[in-house]
Amino acid sequence: MPDFPVERLDVRAEGDEATVRVIDVLDGQLITEESIATLEVEDGAVQADTSSDILRVSVLDRYGRGNISSGFVHGFGLQEGAIASTVAHDSHNLIVVGVDPELMKRAVDILKKAGGGLVAVAEDDHRVLQLPVAGLMSDGDVFEVADGFENLNTFTEQLGSRLSAPFMTMSFLSLLVIPRLKIGDRGLFDVEKFEFVDVLVS
């Protein structure tokens, strides 16, 4: 995956506010719902709103096409940082959820260096579980991998996550055949209509 400017993770809009579609995750569920939110715009970029638990989400193609799509998600509970994974059904592109693009970009860069896996980042710390086999599996000791995953989940909880399985929930956000609203590397997808839809609501 080639390097890219952090601005490519932005959702761009004019004016001081933007009305957007939001993916609503449900704890313990693969299905999602859709809601509408009005968010602030700064320097042309639509901002996350941690007070309302509306975070950024981006999907990055990791097969050489260079696609990056971005949107918003509700329900993760992160108050800081970002989490990212190369386990993202079914295409297993790289998916990242976070409070701001700089920390999301840092999470992406850590996974690129690690050869794939799962990561959680804060301003001055991070935890990573390397999955060097296609970014999906580990060839390490099973007990060490389990300990690493538990440590990663604990760190993610410290960032504010209130989901029972945040990385599992995130991995299914890009599965474009399970209702209702998902996101792939080509954009936001309404599964019930079976068509791509705009993040911005006109």
Side-chain angles (χ1 to χ4, degrees):
M1 180 187 299
D3 195 21
F4 60 90
V6 69
E7 289 79 14
R8 288 205 62 193
L9 299 179
D10 286 334
V11 173
R12 309 293 297 179
E14 298 179 353
D16 297 324
E17 292 182 333
T19 302
V20 300
R21 290 183 173 86
V22 179
I23 303 170
D24 287 326
V25 301
L26 306 172
D27 196 13
Q29 300 287 324
L30 301 186
I31 63 170
T32 59
E33 300 291 347
E34 175 185 342
S35 62
I36 303 296
T38 299
L39 301 174
E40 293 184 1
V41 176
E42 296 180 7
D43 298 324
V46 185
Q47 302 298 301
D49 181 3
T50 55
S51 66
S52 299
D53 189 19
I54 298 176
L55 305 177
R56 296 168 177 257
V57 57
S58 294
V59 176
L60 298 82
D61 163 67
R62 64 182 183 108
Y63 302 102
R65 295 183 296 268
N67 296 337
I68 299 177
S69 70
S70 296
F72 296 92
V73 63
H74 171 266
F76 275 84
L78 295 179
Q79 294 300 302
E80 60 175 311
I83 61 175
S85 173
T86 51
V87 180
H89 309 287
D90 265 343
S91 299
H92 297 294
N93 287 308
L94 195 156
I95 187 165
V96 55
V97 169
V99 302
D100 68 66
E102 287 78 14
L103 290 172
M104 294 168 71
K105 176 72 160 53
R106 185 187 304 172
V108 171
D109 290 342
I110 290 170
L111 285 190
K112 286 169 60 177
K113 185 176 181 179
L118 315 175
V119 67
V121 303
E123 285 284 353
D124 56 359
D125 199 3
H126 74 274
R127 301 287 189 279
V128 62
L129 178 64
Q130 291 180 261
L131 298 176
V133 183
L136 302 174
M137 296 178 288
S138 173
D139 56 358
D141 177 83
V142 63
F143 296 105
E144 292 180 1
V145 173
D147 286 345
F149 186 59
E150 183 176 354
N151 184 272
L152 184 66
N153 277 322
T154 298
F155 186 69
T156 303
E157 185 176 345
Q158 293 169 357
L159 297 178
S161 174
R162 56 175 182 249
L163 293 174
S164 56
F167 286 92
M168 181 70 74
T169 299
M170 182 171 63
S171 73
F172 281 97
L173 288 182
S174 61
L175 185 53
L176 305 188
V177 295
I178 296 181
R180 175 183 178 191
L181 191 64
K182 304 292 183 180
I183 185 169
D185 66 307
R186 293 173 53 202
L188 207 58
F189 193 75
D190 187 318
V191 181
E192 293 179 349
K193 295 179 180 178
F194 213 73
E195 64 184 22
F196 287 98
V197 295
D198 292 333
V199 176
L200 299 176
V201 179
S202 56

